[in-house]
Amino acid sequence: METNATPETDYRPTFPSFQEIFQTNSVLAIPHSTPFFMDVTLRDGNQALRKPWNLREKEIIFQQLLKLNVQGIEVGFASAGGQDFEACSHLSQLAPDRVVISSLSRAVEEEIELSWKAIHKAARPRIHIVYPVSDFTIRNVLRISEEQVKENIMRSVSYARKLAGSRGEVQFSGEHFGDALENIEFTIEAFRSALDAGADVINLPNTVERYRPFLFVAMIRKVVESLPQGSRISVHTHNDLGMATATTVESFFAGATQLETALNGLGERAGNTNTYEVAVALHNCGVKMDLNLQAIYETSRIVARMSGVPVPEKAPLIGEDVVAHRSGIHQDGVSKTQNLKKGAYRAFEADLIGRPEGDRIAFTSQSGKSAIFEILNTAGVRVSKEEAFRLQPALKSRSEKEGGGELSLEQMVEELQRLRSIES
C-alpha cells in the first residue's frame, strides 16, 4: 500500500511523549540525579588478572580513567601488601581535585589505618569498608550473632570516620547483599548502624550473581525507601549469570546513584559490570552523564592489550563484529537507514564511543543485492542496483563453493568483471 509519509531525517528519542506515564510510574521516570561512576578496575579488576599490573601499568590505566572522566577510582586494597600500598599512595597523589580516591579494607582497624595512610594525600580520599550482611554468610562464614555483626560494623565505620575526619569520606559495603533476601530487615538495620557511625555511602553489592535482576533491583528499592532520605546508595554487581549490566542500569532507576563498574568488565570470575555497556544504555535512555564516552573504544583496546584478556568479537559495543551486517534482510535495512540518526539495526552511533568504523556490510552466502550495491559503491566501484541484482547469484554461488564465508572486495570485483565480460 502506498503512503505519503516521508523518510525520517532526524531521529529524536520519544521519551518526552511519555511524560504522563513518567509522572505516574516511577519505573519509567528518568532520575534527576547524574550517575556517579566509581571505577573498580584497579582493585577488583586487577586482583582477578592472571598477572596483576605493576605500578607503571596501573598508572597507565589510571590516566585512561581520568580521560574517561569517571568521578571516583578505587585504586586498590592498600593492606593487601607492599605493592598495593605503594600503588594506592602513588596514584592518590596524582588524582585531580574532582576525583574521589578509594582504598578497600576489611572491618579491621589495622587495615583501615593502612588504607587511610595510603590515600590521605588525595584531595578527596575515601575509606571503603566491606563486611558481610547476608544470613548465609553470617551463619556459615562469620559464625557470630547478628548483634555482633552490627557491633563490628559500627566499630569499624566509627574508626574510619575518626581517621577521615571532615575531609575524607567513608563507604560501607554489605558483602553478599544480593544473598540477603532472607534477612533483609536486619540488613537494613545494619546499614542504618553504618550511617549512624558516620558512613557517607552505603554500597549494595551483588557479590555473586545468582538470581534475576528484578529481584536484586526490588531489594535496592526497599533499601532506598527504608534508609533516611538523601542517603547515598551505591551498587556493585558481578556478572556470573551475564546480567550485571541490566542489574546496574535498573538499580540506577531504583535510586542507586553511585555505580561501581570496571573497564572491559574485568573482575572476579565472570567479571564486574562493564562500564561501557552501562554508560551507553543510560545514554540511550536519556540520562545525562559526565563521562567522556568518546574515550571508550580507545580505552577498551588499551585495557585488552594490557590485561591479556581479549575482547570477544561479539562483545557489545567494542567487539570487532558488532558493527557487521551479513544477513540480506539486515543489510537492506542498514542501507535504507544509513543516513538517519537511528538505524534499523544500529543500537548506537559508532562515533559516540570513539569507534572509527560504523555499520559494515559484508557479503556471504546469506547476503542480498543491497550488500553488493553498498560494498562496491563504497569502495568506488560503480554499479547500479540492477547490475547488483544480476551479480548476486554469481557471488552467492562463489561464497557457497568456498564454504559460505565472506568474500573479499577483490573476489567481488572479479565476479563483476566476469559478469560484464559475459554481458558485453
Side-chain angles (χ1 to χ4, degrees):
M1 188 172 104
E2 293 187 1
T3 175
N4 293 324
T6 57
E8 174 185 16
T9 57
D10 185 21
Y11 169 72
R12 298 188 189 284
T14 56
F15 304 119
S17 67
F18 293 135
Q19 194 63 39
E20 289 184 2
I21 297 177
F22 284 170
Q23 291 173 353
T24 59
N25 190 337
S26 62
V27 175
L28 295 179
I30 297 177
H32 296 298
S33 57
T34 299
F36 182 104
F37 278 84
M38 169 60 77
D39 185 271
V40 297
T41 310
L42 289 169
R43 198 272 300 170
D44 214 341
N46 179 67
Q47 72 186 35
L49 295 179
R50 284 188 169 90
K51 183 183 178 184
W53 290 313
N54 59 34
L55 181 59
R56 181 187 63 82
E57 292 168 327
K58 286 182 178 179
E59 185 171 339
I60 292 172
I61 298 297
F62 184 82
Q63 293 297 340
Q64 203 62 32
L65 288 168
L66 296 182
K67 188 171 184 178
L68 274 168
N69 203 40
V70 298
Q71 293 94 340
I73 302 173
E74 189 149 277
V75 289
F77 201 145
S79 59
Q83 287 186 333
D84 266 53
F85 182 90
E86 180 188 9
C88 290
S89 179
H90 176 69
L91 297 177
S92 66
Q93 295 178 64
L94 299 179
D97 292 352
R98 64 175 177 80
V99 178
V100 170
I101 297 296
S102 169
S103 170
L104 182 72
S105 68
R106 294 178 299 175
V108 178
E109 291 186 2
E110 292 83 356
E111 292 189 12
I112 294 169
E113 187 172 0
L114 281 171
S115 278
W116 179 248
K117 284 182 178 178
I119 64 169
H120 76 279
K121 291 184 180 179
R124 299 180 64 188
R126 179 186 291 181
I127 301 171
H128 181 188
I129 299 170
V130 59
Y131 198 73
V133 295
S134 75
D135 178 67
F136 177 86
T137 309
I138 292 170
R139 287 188 294 105
N140 294 285
V141 180
L142 296 180
R143 298 180 179 178
I144 60 177
S145 68
E146 289 184 340
E147 196 57 40
Q148 287 174 296
V149 169
K150 287 204 300 183
E151 289 173 3
N152 291 341
I153 291 172
M154 293 192 71
R155 185 185 67 253
S156 59
V157 172
S158 296
Y159 184 69
R161 179 77 278 157
K162 179 180 177 181
L163 290 176
S166 59
R167 191 172 70 84
E169 291 184 334
V170 178
Q171 174 172 312
F172 174 73
S173 284
E175 188 183 15
H176 288 293
F177 169 77
D179 286 341
L181 188 61
E182 297 113 319
N183 65 331
I184 188 66
E185 295 300 336
F186 163 76
T187 299
I188 291 170
E189 287 181 31
F191 291 147
R192 287 198 187 102
S193 297
L195 290 171
D196 291 342
D200 300 286
V201 181
I202 297 297
N203 185 43
L204 313 179
N206 208 8
T207 309
V208 178
E209 183 178 59
R210 306 184 200 273
Y211 315 113
R212 57 182 177 148
F214 182 84
L215 187 61
F216 184 83
V217 173
M219 294 169 68
I220 295 287
R221 194 177 297 280
K222 181 171 180 61
V223 171
V224 170
E225 293 172 351
S226 300
L227 294 183
Q229 189 172 8
S231 298
R232 291 156 63 188
I233 306 299
S234 169
V235 289
H236 175 113
T237 69
H238 281 263
N239 201 37
D240 298 275
L241 300 182
M243 302 185 292
T245 294
T247 303
T248 298
V249 169
E250 291 305 322
S251 292
F252 174 71
F253 285 90
T257 56
Q258 176 174 296
L259 310 177
E260 301 200 357
T261 63
L263 304 178
N264 287 27
L266 294 180
E268 296 284 3
R269 304 179 310 280
N272 288 82
T273 311
N274 191 310
T275 303
Y276 325 133
E277 296 170 15
V278 172
V280 175
L282 290 175
H283 168 83
N284 281 5
C285 291
V287 176
K288 181 183 180 302
M289 285 175 297
D290 295 326
L291 290 186
N292 175 17
L293 300 182
Q294 290 209 323
I296 285 177
Y297 192 70
E298 171 193 274
T299 301
S300 74
R301 290 304 184 246
I302 292 172
V303 173
R305 184 177 68 251
M306 290 180 58
S307 65
V309 181
V311 174
E313 66 176 20
K314 292 295 186 182
L317 302 172
I318 57 176
E320 180 184 348
D321 218 34
V322 299
V323 295
H325 306 277
R326 299 186 180 93
S327 158
I329 294 174
H330 284 221
Q331 291 167 338
D332 184 59
V334 168
S335 176
K336 291 175 178 176
T337 60
Q338 61 183 328
N339 296 319
L340 305 182
K341 189 65 177 174
K342 179 180 180 179
Y345 297 98
R346 185 172 64 247
F348 66 99
E349 295 294 327
D351 59 4
L352 173 71
I353 63 170
R355 186 163 187 156
E357 59 169 344
D359 289 326
R360 177 170 62 83
I361 294 177
F363 191 92
T364 71
S365 60
Q366 305 299 307
S367 302
K369 62 181 182 294
S370 292
I372 301 168
F373 180 81
E374 291 296 335
I375 293 169
L376 293 177
N377 278 285
T378 299
V381 181
R382 296 300 167 201
V383 294
S384 65
K385 290 187 176 180
E386 292 75 17
E387 194 172 26
F389 181 82
R390 297 196 302 275
L391 181 60
Q392 185 198 9
L395 292 179
K396 185 177 179 67
S397 175
R398 180 161 181 174
S399 175
E400 288 175 345
K401 287 178 181 177
E402 298 184 12
E406 284 188 24
L407 296 183
S408 67
L409 176 62
E410 291 73 18
Q411 290 172 317
M412 294 179 69
V413 172
E414 282 178 15
E415 293 300 328
L416 174 62
Q417 291 173 340
R418 185 176 290 113
L419 174 70
R420 287 175 174 175
S421 176
I422 292 172
E423 290 185 343
S424 66

